[in-house]
Amino acid sequence: MFFSDSAKAEKGIAALIEGCGGDAEDASSTVGTWIVSGDWVVAAETREVAQQVVDDAAEKSLADDAEFQRWTGAAGDAGILSFYAAKAAAEYFDDVADLGKEFTGLGGPDELGADIDSAEVTDAIKDFEGMAVTVRFSDGALEMETATSINKDQQDLVASSVGAELVASLPEDTVAAFGVGVNEGWVEQVAEQIVASEGGDLTLEDFYQEGSDATGLDLPGDVEKLLGEGVAVALGSGIDAEAFVNGGVLDLPLGVKIKGDVEDIEGVLAKLEPQLGPEDAALLESASADGYVAIGPDATLVERVAGAD
């Protein structure tokens, strides 16, 4: 952690540790310990570990590492928060997952809905090359940019530019948004991965049939039609936190914008509506404009999301 005033940082961190029930002077404190080196505060489990980090960085810092430069450079300009994971971090992913299970109370694969030791997860860990995340302020907004390795299967699923195009087309007062573009055939690829992860007698045809029975859709075709070339989820301004807590999603200014064949998308929505109750059907207010369809619980916002330049 970098601080512009080390003396104030020492006092502040000491107060924080003591506030958490620890002893700022005790190297065996249950909340860890820290040392100050120049303008940096290094926190670790023990002072010995913290000092080792300082000594190693003085000899050769991460800034000299080619892979660090590669991923942080790909994540764009510096910001208020940076995260970096080297290729070597992959060997600890299983430990992190186990820690997450302990923290959440989810004890095993059955409760998580997927096996952390599945071949797909193992291959993904093996193919991991590194990643970096930067969070920064940009034009009055909080922006997060991520760069990471992506395997061939993932490249076949995701279209590189459509997600950004959709987000850029949202109303200017959008508070937060997420967009992704997809390539033709993506539904079948995802379905094949799900069926393979089950490791049982479930076939791809059985999977599609179960999904069709549950939704009233013709799988996989209707799902591809529904999400078209890509989709963006937008959170508009004027969020009423109290209404959301007491009501739910229907009280959020949410809009989903899809790029695709308008007739196809609206046809799939017409199939979905009878499967929903009156209250849930209100989520499917829709509007279309210039090759886009917008969906959401607020008809006024949906119109704006569909037609924004």
Side-chain angles (χ1 to χ4, degrees), residues 239-257:
I239 300 170
D240 187 333
E242 184 177 351
F244 170 63
V245 171
N246 295 325
V249 176
L250 287 171
D251 293 296
L252 283 177
L254 279 174
V256 177
K257 187 169 187 176

Side-chain angles (χ1 to χ4, degrees), residues 18 52 72 78 82 139 154 205 227 240 263 296:
E18 290 170 359
Q52 188 65 53
T72 55
S82 295
D139 294 330
Q154 292 170 321
E205 292 71 23
L227 297 189
D240 187 333
E263 187 174 340

Side-chain angles (χ1 to χ4, degrees), residues 191-211:
E192 287 174 350
Q193 292 174 11
I194 293 172
V195 169
S197 71
E198 292 294 316
D201 298 326
L202 181 68
T203 66
L204 190 60
E205 292 71 23
D206 290 338
F207 177 74
Y208 285 146
Q209 189 60 56
E210 290 177 9

Side-chain angles (χ1 to χ4, degrees), residues 98 101 106-118:
D98 290 339
K101 285 187 242 180
L106 298 173
D110 290 340
E111 288 145 325
L112 288 170
D115 188 344
I116 192 68
D117 298 319
S118 69

Side-chain angles (χ1 to χ4, degrees), residues 41-296:
V41 173
V42 180
E45 187 175 2
T46 66
R47 278 191 171 84
E48 289 76 13
V49 172
Q51 187 60 55
Q52 188 65 53
V53 170
V54 172
D55 294 343
D56 289 347
E59 184 176 335
K60 187 175 182 181
S61 74
L62 196 57
D64 301 320
D65 182 78
E67 286 302 295
F68 174 80
Q69 294 171 6
R70 171 193 176 189
W71 292 113
T72 55
D77 296 334
I80 59 171
L81 176 66
S82 295
F83 169 84
Y84 169 69
K87 179 179 177 64
E91 64 184 275
Y92 302 105
F93 286 173
D94 281 349
D95 294 336
V96 172
D98 290 339
L99 181 62
K101 285 187 242 180
E102 275 187 43
F103 182 74
T104 60
L106 298 173
D110 290 340
E111 288 145 325
L112 288 170
D115 188 344
I116 192 68
D117 298 319
S118 69
E120 289 77 12
V121 174
T122 301
D123 288 344
I125 291 174
K126 181 179 65 177
D127 294 338
F128 179 77
E129 295 180 16
M131 72 174 295
V133 179
T134 301
V135 179
R136 66 178 72 85
F137 289 111
S138 176
D139 294 330
L142 188 65
E143 175 182 270
M144 181 174 73
E145 188 168 358
T146 303
T148 187
S149 56
I150 183 169
N151 63 34
K152 181 63 169 61
D153 290 339
Q154 292 170 321
Q155 291 177 37
D156 290 341
L157 291 177
V158 180
S160 60
S161 62
V162 177
E165 173 196 326
L166 280 162
V167 171
S169 74
L170 294 170
E172 64 179 1
D173 60 348
T174 299
V175 173
F178 171 80
V180 61
V182 290
N183 287 322
E184 187 176 351
W186 71 271
V187 176
E188 186 162 352
Q189 287 183 264
V190 171
E192 287 174 350
Q193 292 174 11
I194 293 172
V195 169
S197 71
E198 292 294 316
D201 298 326
L202 181 68
T203 66
L204 190 60
E205 292 71 23
D206 290 338
F207 177 74
Y208 285 146
Q209 189 60 56
E210 290 177 9
S212 295
D213 292 342
T215 63
L217 301 182
D218 180 15
L219 301 183
D222 279 349
V223 176
E224 288 221 9
K225 291 178 181 177
L226 179 61
L227 297 189
E229 298 176 43
V231 59
V233 180
L235 181 63
S237 60
I239 300 170
D240 187 333
E242 184 177 351
F244 170 63
V245 171
N246 295 325
V249 176
L250 287 171
D251 293 296
L252 283 177
L254 279 174
V256 177
K257 187 169 187 176
I258 307 165
K259 181 180 182 181
D261 186 294
V262 172
E263 187 174 340
D264 281 349
I265 296 168
E266 290 180 340
V268 177
L269 292 176
K271 288 184 181 180
L272 280 173
E273 285 186 18
Q275 311 299 319
L276 304 174
E279 183 175 337
D280 290 335
L283 289 167
L284 299 183
E285 293 280 353
S286 65
S288 61
D290 301 325
Y292 297 100
V293 175
I295 309 167

